[in-house]
Amino acid sequence: MTLDDVRELARNIREQVSKAVVGQTETVDHLLIALMSQGHVLLEGPPGTAKTFLAQCFSAALGLEFGRIQFTPDLLPGDILGSNLFNFQTSEFTLTRGPIFCEMLLADEINRTPPKTQAALLEAMQERRVTLDGETHALADRFMVVATQNPIENQGVYPLPEAQLDRFLFKLLVDYPSAEEETAIVSRFGDKQGPQRAADFGIEAVTDAGKLAAASAALSSVTVAAEITEYIVRLIRATRENADLSSGASPRAAVLLANAARARAALEGRDYVIPDDVKALSVAVLRHRLMLSPAAEIEGREIEALVADLVENTEAPR
């Protein structure tokens, strides 16, 4: 598959998702970048902003096996991973697989469940496998988590552990639509009753696991110049030296940012990464990996603004 094929594939996926989802163009683009670079995405926003529906439509356009977990305070790790149950007829233990055994997992309202259950996803997200009773079970090579969460300031939620946040490539903020988009939403959905399904809007699978694997393989032809690599490292290291941040980004963030920049270049049909690729993705990659210092919190500083300042003040190659 050539880079032109990758760009055409991305265009077809966007076209299918837009049949049902109004707006959210930037969010769909980030989902595509995460898909190509085999990363996971965390969507944060108030209820009713189509986070779950977007994930469903995106999965339908990809033709991947879809799984969904509705996270609740009483959810246990075994409810996600599965367990070995004793079969009295055969006098043997039989593996009952949990919903995590799929290709695209929607972790809905992930911050509604305690950290112990959230942590059940760690091995799956990092290594594409799960361990049950000492036995390792492989997940699909295309395994991807799209998690949704309500803003932390809402009641009845548990902030995600830092180790788990670091496994997400992007954290995307899904805000309320514009007046024009909201009018279009009401016009499109106002006369439909009951739950909305991707199939009701004619969304068709335009790819499959094999094509997606070929598209990801095509990214190997995208060149990351030494100057771009040094730029990414300077940017990441600047987060550890900023007085307004008590915790900076890890080397993993630098690697993921480079991978995402390559995917963005490929989706635009380029076989090389430019500084604008890094700049465009920096906020989404870093906002959930950084922690404000107490003084910055008192002053009301925002992570997004700090990242924007770091990008502006870090010298980029010409």
Side-chain angles (χ1 to χ4, degrees):
M1 183 176 289
T2 66
L3 293 181
D4 287 338
D5 295 331
V6 173
R7 183 170 57 177
E8 180 65 17
L9 178 62
R11 188 192 66 80
N12 292 336
I13 294 173
R14 292 189 190 98
E15 184 179 286
Q16 293 298 319
V17 174
S18 66
K19 290 180 179 180
V21 178
V22 177
Q24 300 199 30
T25 304
E26 185 177 353
T27 304
V28 174
D29 287 345
H30 279 79
L31 285 171
L32 283 168
I33 293 170
L35 175 72
M36 295 301 174
S37 53
Q38 299 188 33
H40 309 289
V41 178
L42 176 63
L43 303 176
E44 180 178 293
T49 49
K51 301 185 297 296
T52 300
F53 187 57
L54 172 61
Q56 292 172 332
C57 294
F58 187 70
S59 177
L62 300 177
L64 298 180
E65 182 185 357
F66 182 74
R68 176 178 177 177
I69 302 174
Q70 187 67 45
F71 282 77
T72 58
D74 59 347
L75 196 71
L76 298 174
D79 297 326
I80 298 174
L81 306 178
S83 59
N84 287 305
L85 301 179
F86 187 75
N87 188 327
F88 288 94
Q89 294 180 336
T90 62
S91 297
E92 296 178 346
F93 283 92
T94 303
L95 173 64
T96 301
R97 299 193 171 199
I100 200 171
F101 286 90
C102 62
E103 292 176 309
M104 174 164 286
L105 176 68
L106 171 60
D108 211 4
E109 294 190 287
I110 191 173
N111 60 337
R112 289 287 178 193
T113 198
K116 179 180 179 180
T117 303
Q118 294 170 0
L121 289 174
L122 283 177
E123 183 182 14
M125 293 174 66
Q126 182 65 27
E127 302 178 26
R128 265 72 175 184
R129 68 182 188 184
V130 297
T131 302
L132 294 171
D133 294 339
E135 185 177 353
T136 300
H137 304 272
L139 297 174
D141 292 336
R142 305 303 315 171
F143 178 73
M144 177 179 177
V145 175
V146 177
T148 71
Q149 72 171 15
N150 297 320
I152 296 301
E153 62 266 19
N154 284 2
Q155 294 182 352
V157 298
Y158 301 83
L160 295 181
E162 294 177 20
Q164 185 168 8
L165 283 173
D166 201 40
R167 263 70 174 183
F168 285 101
L169 171 60
F170 295 138
K171 178 182 177 181
L172 307 177
L173 303 184
V174 182
D175 204 353
Y176 292 112
S178 65
E180 294 77 10
E181 291 174 340
E182 195 159 2
T183 300
I185 291 171
V186 175
S187 299
R188 182 175 297 185
F189 296 93
D191 59 349
K192 299 181 183 297
Q193 299 181 1
Q196 309 301 331
R197 298 180 178 86
D200 298 337
F201 297 88
I203 294 180
E204 301 175 353
V206 294
T207 183
D208 54 32
K211 290 181 180 179
L212 290 175
S216 292
L219 266 62
S220 61
S221 64
V222 178
T223 301
V224 182
E227 294 83 358
I228 298 294
T229 300
E230 292 170 359
Y231 173 53
I232 292 173
V233 172
R234 286 198 303 271
L235 179 59
I236 296 301
R237 292 182 70 85
T239 65
R240 305 172 201 157
E241 301 165 359
N242 192 296
D244 290 326
L245 297 172
S246 62
S247 176
S250 67
R252 178 188 287 139
V255 173
L256 293 180
L257 180 55
N259 290 338
R262 292 172 68 235
R264 184 178 189 270
L267 292 175
E268 293 189 356
R270 284 184 280 107
D271 62 355
Y272 56 92
V273 174
I274 60 177
D276 285 348
D277 293 323
V278 179
K279 295 177 180 179
L281 301 174
S282 293
V283 172
V285 170
L286 296 176
R287 61 158 52 102
H288 56 296
R289 293 183 162 88
L290 307 179
M291 293 182 62
L292 290 171
S293 66
E297 288 186 1
I298 293 174
E299 293 174 1
R301 300 295 300 274
E302 294 183 350
I303 289 291
E304 289 79 5
L306 284 174
V307 174
D309 289 342
L310 289 173
V311 170
E312 182 178 351
N313 294 326
T314 301
E315 183 181 359
R318 299 183 182 276

